[in-house]
Amino acid sequence: MYQVVKRHLWGYLFILPAAVIFGLFLWTPIVKGFVYSLYHVDFMKGTAFVGFDNYVKVLRDPDIGQAATNTLYYMFLGLVIGFWVPIVFAIAISELRRFQGFARIAAYLPNVLPVVVLYGLWRWIFDPVGPINAVLSKLGFEPVSFMTDPSWSMASLVFMETWQQFGGALLIYLAGLLSIPRDWYEAAEIDGAGVWQRIRYITLPSIKSLILLLLILQIISTSQGYQSQYAMLDGGPNKATLTYVLLIVKYAFTSQDYGAASALGVLMFFVLGGLALLQSKLTGREGA
């Protein structure tokens, strides 16, 4: 053991700062979250051990069912509305003979918009007298209450986030498409294969593992969504956009019940841990 450490001493020294930062800013909060979930946390009067009372409290909260349902709905809408968009755009851009660079930049530009500008822009777009409703009125349709109608509010947020964020995934898919040998496409064209045949039999099978990876990552990321729900609607209307993580935020920073918020976080930790294990198993199987 000593010989191994001595042989790789400089390597260990180089990774030491990253390991310290990783442990200090990632695992320390996780461990403290587990500890706080068993306490009634009061930074003024001190903490008191309450065991599993926080878990009982949050599981009896009727809002947890609503928040879990909304989160699953948000994840579902993210897959239906947003997941396929970067795939389609990446394939379309890869098939372009000219202006590929311009198309990549144009697709990625929404990613660099500050969220303050983004939310202000989409509040105006979704406004009852905004451009979308103006077009609908001219076409003879009734205006849609995107922000105040519970049946439209979550879908509106997902549409906004898809427009903003799909450029990052698009670049990843483009990198995967560039790794496909061009000889395959040339051979397919010589054999008379059209665009759809090349996409079906060459492109999609070649990036199948990448699609699976980004699918799992999107499921995990959307399960933690709360920023747009909080900034745009604060969980409304009528709790229609109250997600699980937003409920944690409200417990912690509105009710200042850090023990209950930590209990919710621990429950989510186990769920996301299960998804991470699933991702590892699926990607390992694909690699094999």
Side-chain angles (χ1 to χ4, degrees), residues 6 63 104 149 154 169 177 186 189 203 233 235 240 244 275:
K6 183 178 180 181
D63 284 344
R104 294 176 191 175
D149 187 344
M154 188 70 83
L177 293 174
E186 293 173 2
E189 289 181 7
T203 304
L233 296 168
Y244 190 89
L275 288 175

Side-chain angles (χ1 to χ4, degrees), residues 108 110-111 113-115 118 159-167:
Y108 190 74
N111 262 64
L113 276 180
V115 290
L118 175 75
F159 186 83
M160 175 192 70
E161 291 181 337
T162 299
W163 178 83
Q164 182 205 15
Q165 299 175 4
F166 86 95

